[in-house]
Amino acid sequence: MPVVFDSEKRVFKLDTPSSSYAMKISPTGYLLHLYYGAYVPDTDLDYLRMRQRNAAFSACVASAEEGGLSLDTAQLEYPVNGSGDFRSVALSVRGANGSSVTDIRYRSHRIYPGKPKLEGLPATYTNDDSEAETLEIVCVDELTGAEITLIYAAFSKLDVITRSVRIANTSDKPFSIERVHSAAVDFTEMDFDMLHLQGRWAKERTLVTRHLEFGLQGIHSRRGSSSHNNNPFIALARDGYTEESGEVFGFSFVYSGNFAAEVEVDCMRSTRVLMGTDPVDFAWKLEPGESFQAPEVVMVYSDHGVGGMSRTYHKLYRFNLCRGEWKTKKRPIIVNNWEATYFNFDSEKLVAIAKDAADLGIEMLVMDDGWFGKRNNDKSSLGDWYVNEDKLKGGLAELVRRVNALGVKFGIWFEPEMISPDSDLYRAHPDWCLHTEGRERSIGRNQYVLDMSRKDVRDNIFDQMYKILSSANIEYVKWDFNRNLTEVGSELLPPDRQSEVAHRYMLGVYELLERLLAAFPHLLLEGCSGGGGRFDAGMLYYSPQIWTSDDTDAIERLEIQYGTSIVYPPSAMSAHVSACPNHQTKRTSPFKTRGDVAMAGAFGYELDLTKLNDDERGLVRRQVADYHRYYDVIQNGDYYRLINPTESKGDMTSAAAWESVSSDKREVLLTYVVIRTQPSMSRYIRLRGLDPALTYTDTESGRSYSGALLMNAGLNLTGFWRDGESRVWHFTAERK
Ligand code: GLA
């Protein structure tokens, strides 16, 4: 039973295979957090709640029954504003009397198998009820009538506890939610590193770590999307952890809009983690009878270091977040024409690429930006989703028919949330973009952002997309999003609801995605936002793969994919071989290396196949064969990061290495890439996750090693390596 309630001690305990999480109802109904960490069998955890007060300055709860409980220093399950807890809080409700003092107490709870859907939002789910158990705790703020339901699901086979919060107005007056985090956890110590994924356009998700200090630290996005800059994820790793050992607590937000992860260390050396929608410029008015659902936070516990945490996220996100037939179906090898042609293409050019694709075994052609309206550069036509027949002579259906006739599938690019000022749509509806009356409209990549909180806007875009997608055999859509949100206002909402727009925008996008998938259930959707600017768990609910970065340089991708793999599985990371000199960095790296690096994700090409020489064509054939040969171990295996490309050891060849191990441990794929070579240097690489007792054979050389030898002594890489050179080893151990 993952969730138990000890009614005598009034303790809730949630257990996963290796972790426990506990809280207690105090005599007058405060929810006190007791524990989150390695599995413990006890429920008699009351002694943990005794906390030192901050001398006379700590206010205490008035009721004598609470024995001088001070919210200033207590470990609180869901901290609120204004009643004596001076740390950052999870919830603040402004009532009809104008005050934001909030006070919530336990009212009731229920425990049930499975996991509920979250109205209008992406969330993890169970494939059958035995995979998780849910605890809902209802707390009430008597004065405002706010009813707060804390929702927890404990997974039975993974060390995962999910959190979310629903707030209902049960009174006869409106109130306003001014801050609502989806999860709060109080830890009794501060001896942790905080890990997060930092970046910018074309350099997304670099893993950074820092030790916790007293005071506030954290990350956020106020860009209207999860952003290139800070991924909606943090982890606390207890001192002494490594990549494969020690305790790590992960927090990942299943949301694609503004978010905040706040970590505060107080004078008692205790640490509070909060994660939810960013409180800045956020407020939500609830009329009597209305309710608000906050997005989900996925907490992962690992006692096998950062790698253990990643493997849990990978499994959960692959099987309990991604949906539809493409969640496990083998993805097609794609060739995308963006870096091949940019805006300069026509049907003949696309068919020529498709011919080569067919010859080389590449399975799908994706027609990127530039096929619609009058779009010959990025200055016009977003919103005008009708075919430019000057480019696609004979129309889209005819082009798709010709590509399909070659045995190649067809995919298409859209940027549904955007509108160019130079478009028929904007000329007809200048009020349809996000804007604030009386303020200038900021422009980004020559475009404005459509007000996706409006149903009429969504209907229009859906109808246009529907027409295109049902006009031909289109099996894939790349859904792009290429600027941040500014002047976030909506013409249809009253002044006291303008702070709801950023979240309503996201709800609108999710609704449109859902509608599209309902209309085209076989569609493979690929997320994109100028590369990986919206690479988050929210989008993975709709699109099982996301374009990882606009930087296709193999060496840069080592860091980007390393950081991305901290949370997201290889199946989610779209990765393509592109031409050299690379368009983003001007670097030239070997064609083989480009393939070996892209092979670690959802594989494809981003170049003009018609321009490849014979050697390169040979390498493409080899890569296509490798893709099919290694697909299972890469996509379904366990992922191990062996060498971090970001950690530069000055006296050593800088490199990257990663490994996939099949679940029965009988197949292993290891990739090693040299970034900057050095003379007279030896290097050994020790494998991980193998069975020490099995004998593994290198399928190329035929040499055999015990698993123990590969994990403890490792492979000897001494020899001459060039900058950018890569090598792949494939081992198998006989299957019974
Ligand atoms: C974004 C995407 C690219 C490409 C262009 C098209 O930058 O990340 O892959 O689709 O838009 O304009």
Side-chain angles (χ1 to χ4, degrees), residues 397-688:
E398 173 59 11
L399 169 64
V400 177
R401 195 197 55 71
R402 288 173 70 192
V403 171
N404 283 173
L406 296 164
V408 176
K409 297 175 190 300
F410 190 86
I412 197 168
W413 180 96
F414 279 99
E415 195 175 357
E417 299 157 69
M418 296 293 163
I419 182 166
S420 307
D422 181 6
S423 65
D424 293 344
L425 192 69
Y426 191 77
R427 282 182 281 275
H429 302 283
D431 57 327
W432 275 15
C433 66
L434 290 174
H435 64 280
T436 304
E437 225 25 73
R439 302 278 175 213
E440 223 170 56
R441 301 176 184 190
S442 306
I443 194 116
R445 207 195 188 204
N446 309 302
Q447 62 203 50
Y448 298 136
V449 184
L450 279 169
D451 179 357
M452 301 303 281
S453 74
R454 289 176 64 149
K455 186 167 180 315
D456 52 354
V457 172
R458 296 197 301 270
D459 284 349
N460 177 292
I461 297 300
F462 176 81
D463 290 347
Q464 291 198 59
M465 292 179 82
Y466 185 90
K467 229 171 154 177
I468 292 291
L469 294 177
S470 49
S471 72
N473 182 29
I474 299 171
E475 299 180 70
Y476 159 112
V477 163
K478 176 172 168 188
W479 180 301
D480 211 339
F481 171 85
N482 277 316
R483 63 157 288 184
N484 297 144
L485 274 55
T486 54
E487 295 86 36
V488 183
S490 175
E491 198 149 294
L492 293 194
L493 288 171
D496 62 351
R497 287 195 179 272
Q498 290 297 320
S499 296
E500 299 174 12
V501 177
H503 183 60
R504 286 187 184 275
Y505 176 93
M506 245 9 278
L507 293 178
V509 172
Y510 289 146
E511 193 225 52
L512 187 57
L513 283 158
E514 193 69 52
R515 215 166 143 190
L516 195 73
L517 288 173
F520 302 97
H522 304 296
L523 200 65
L524 170 57
L525 209 59
E526 175 159 332
C528 180
S529 170
R534 210 160 55 178
F535 201 123
D536 56 63
M539 290 310 292
L540 284 180
Y541 188 67
Y542 306 94
S543 56
Q545 63 190 53
I546 300 176
W547 182 226
T548 310
S549 177
D550 272 347
D551 194 339
T552 56
D553 176 282
I555 299 301
E556 283 300 294
R557 275 295 183 110
L558 294 173
E559 279 187 358
I560 295 168
Q561 293 177 192
Y562 185 97
T564 306
S565 79
I566 296 288
V567 186
Y568 308 102
S571 57
M573 277 192 253
S574 187
H576 295 173
V577 174
S578 63
C580 275
N582 175 269
H583 293 197
Q584 293 77 36
T585 62
K586 308 281 176 244
R587 184 188 278 119
T588 294
S589 36
F591 201 93
K592 173 178 170 0
T593 305
R594 287 176 257 159
D596 290 346
V597 174
M599 197 72 71
F603 183 68
Y605 292 84
E606 186 91 12
L607 42 69
D608 189 345
L609 295 174
T610 66
K611 294 195 175 136
L612 294 178
N613 62 33
D614 286 348
D615 284 354
E616 290 167 336
R617 293 178 77 84
L619 285 163
V620 171
R621 285 185 209 285
R622 168 104 202 243
Q623 287 163 354
V624 167
D626 283 351
Y627 169 81
H628 293 296
R629 192 163 165 222
Y630 302 143
Y631 181 87
D632 194 48
V633 67
I634 294 172
Q635 301 301 336
N636 296 320
D638 283 331
Y639 190 80
Y640 291 84
R641 289 176 293 267
L642 303 185
I643 302 177
N644 179 349
T646 314
E647 264 172 25
S648 167
K649 297 190 176 73
D651 62 343
M652 200 170 176
T653 303
S654 61
W658 62 93
E659 178 198 348
S660 304
V661 182
S662 65
S663 53
D664 66 2
K665 296 185 185 292
R666 286 172 188 270
E667 188 175 3
V668 180
L669 193 76
L670 164 69
T671 307
Y672 175 70
V673 184
V674 169
I675 298 170
R676 185 171 60 88
T677 200
Q678 290 190 352
S680 15
M681 175 50 70
S682 297
R683 177 165 224 150
Y684 298 83
I685 188 164
R686 288 187 287 159
L687 277 67
R688 291 181 184 141

Side-chain angles (χ1 to χ4, degrees), residues 124 135 148 200 204 277 302 346 391 405 474 559 576 581 720:
T124 58
L135 165 66
I148 293 100
R200 58 182 186 271
E204 299 89 338
T277 46
S302 164
D346 58 15
K391 279 183 171 175
I474 299 171
E559 279 187 358
H576 295 173
F720 188 79

